PDB file of all heavy atoms in Angstrom:
ATOM      1  N   LEU A   5       7.387  10.091 -19.093  1.00 89.00           N
ATOM      2  CA  LEU A   5       6.716   8.859 -18.657  1.00 89.00           C
ATOM      3  C   LEU A   5       6.586   8.873 -17.136  1.00 89.00           C
ATOM      4  O   LEU A   5       7.425   9.459 -16.424  1.00 89.00           O
ATOM      5  CB  LEU A   5       7.568   7.606 -19.052  1.00 89.00           C
ATOM      6  CG  LEU A   5       7.982   7.606 -20.520  1.00 89.00           C
ATOM      7  CD1 LEU A   5       8.747   6.263 -20.806  1.00 89.00           C
ATOM      8  CD2 LEU A   5       6.807   7.780 -21.457  1.00 89.00           C
ATOM      9  N   LEU A   6       5.577   8.235 -16.626  1.00 87.00           N
ATOM     10  CA  LEU A   6       5.412   8.044 -15.183  1.00 87.00           C
ATOM     11  C   LEU A   6       6.628   7.355 -14.651  1.00 87.00           C
ATOM     12  O   LEU A   6       6.851   6.135 -15.047  1.00 87.00           O
ATOM     13  CB  LEU A   6       4.113   7.343 -14.785  1.00 87.00           C
ATOM     14  CG  LEU A   6       3.938   7.142 -13.298  1.00 87.00           C
ATOM     15  CD1 LEU A   6       3.720   8.474 -12.606  1.00 87.00           C
ATOM     16  CD2 LEU A   6       2.822   6.164 -12.992  1.00 87.00           C
ATOM     17  N   PRO A   7       7.429   7.944 -13.818  1.00 84.00           N
ATOM     18  CA  PRO A   7       8.623   7.241 -13.372  1.00 84.00           C
ATOM     19  C   PRO A   7       8.334   6.188 -12.287  1.00 84.00           C
ATOM     20  O   PRO A   7       7.276   6.180 -11.667  1.00 84.00           O
ATOM     21  CB  PRO A   7       9.475   8.389 -12.810  1.00 84.00           C
ATOM     22  CG  PRO A   7       8.432   9.430 -12.261  1.00 84.00           C
ATOM     23  CD  PRO A   7       7.281   9.287 -13.238  1.00 84.00           C
ATOM     24  N   ASP A   8       9.357   5.351 -12.052  1.00 79.00           N
ATOM     25  CA  ASP A   8       9.338   4.473 -10.934  1.00 79.00           C
ATOM     26  C   ASP A   8       9.431   5.296  -9.680  1.00 79.00           C
ATOM     27  O   ASP A   8      10.435   5.973  -9.429  1.00 79.00           O
ATOM     28  CB  ASP A   8      10.465   3.442 -11.028  1.00 79.00           C
ATOM     29  CG  ASP A   8      10.529   2.465  -9.877  1.00 79.00           C
ATOM     30  OD1 ASP A   8       9.691   2.507  -9.002  1.00 79.00           O
ATOM     31  OD2 ASP A   8      11.397   1.564  -9.928  1.00 79.00           O
ATOM     32  N   LEU A   9       8.465   5.225  -8.810  1.00 73.00           N
ATOM     33  CA  LEU A   9       8.463   6.032  -7.605  1.00 73.00           C
ATOM     34  C   LEU A   9       8.977   5.308  -6.392  1.00 73.00           C
ATOM     35  O   LEU A   9       8.831   5.708  -5.283  1.00 73.00           O
ATOM     36  CB  LEU A   9       7.005   6.455  -7.306  1.00 73.00           C
ATOM     37  CG  LEU A   9       6.359   7.306  -8.396  1.00 73.00           C
ATOM     38  CD1 LEU A   9       4.909   7.572  -8.092  1.00 73.00           C
ATOM     39  CD2 LEU A   9       7.066   8.634  -8.605  1.00 73.00           C
ATOM     40  N   GLY A  10       9.684   4.217  -6.646  1.00 67.00           N
ATOM     41  CA  GLY A  10      10.328   3.466  -5.562  1.00 67.00           C
ATOM     42  C   GLY A  10       9.382   2.554  -4.871  1.00 67.00           C
ATOM     43  O   GLY A  10       8.216   2.417  -5.128  1.00 67.00           O
ATOM     44  N   GLU A  11       9.936   1.803  -3.868  1.00 61.00           N
ATOM     45  CA  GLU A  11       9.178   0.891  -3.040  1.00 61.00           C
ATOM     46  C   GLU A  11       8.503  -0.189  -3.789  1.00 61.00           C
ATOM     47  O   GLU A  11       7.523  -0.795  -3.310  1.00 61.00           O
ATOM     48  CB  GLU A  11       8.105   1.664  -2.232  1.00 61.00           C
ATOM     49  CG  GLU A  11       8.667   2.737  -1.267  1.00 61.00           C
ATOM     50  CD  GLU A  11       9.276   2.176  -0.018  1.00 61.00           C
ATOM     51  OE1 GLU A  11       8.871   1.082   0.443  1.00 61.00           O
ATOM     52  OE2 GLU A  11      10.192   2.791   0.551  1.00 61.00           O
ATOM     53  N   GLY A  12       8.942  -0.507  -5.038  1.00 64.00           N
ATOM     54  CA  GLY A  12       8.353  -1.572  -5.821  1.00 64.00           C
ATOM     55  C   GLY A  12       6.958  -1.239  -6.349  1.00 64.00           C
ATOM     56  O   GLY A  12       6.229  -2.083  -6.831  1.00 64.00           O
ATOM     57  N   LEU A  13       6.613   0.036  -6.448  1.00 73.00           N
ATOM     58  CA  LEU A  13       5.335   0.509  -6.923  1.00 73.00           C
ATOM     59  C   LEU A  13       5.283   0.465  -8.413  1.00 73.00           C
ATOM     60  O   LEU A  13       6.241   0.790  -9.115  1.00 73.00           O
ATOM     61  CB  LEU A  13       5.015   1.940  -6.463  1.00 73.00           C
ATOM     62  CG  LEU A  13       5.055   2.088  -4.952  1.00 73.00           C
ATOM     63  CD1 LEU A  13       5.012   3.547  -4.577  1.00 73.00           C
ATOM     64  CD2 LEU A  13       3.983   1.367  -4.269  1.00 73.00           C
TER      65      LEU A  13
END
Side-chain angles (χ1 to χ4, degrees):
L5 313 182
L6 179 67
D8 180 356
L9 300 173
E11 299 284 333
L13 303 171

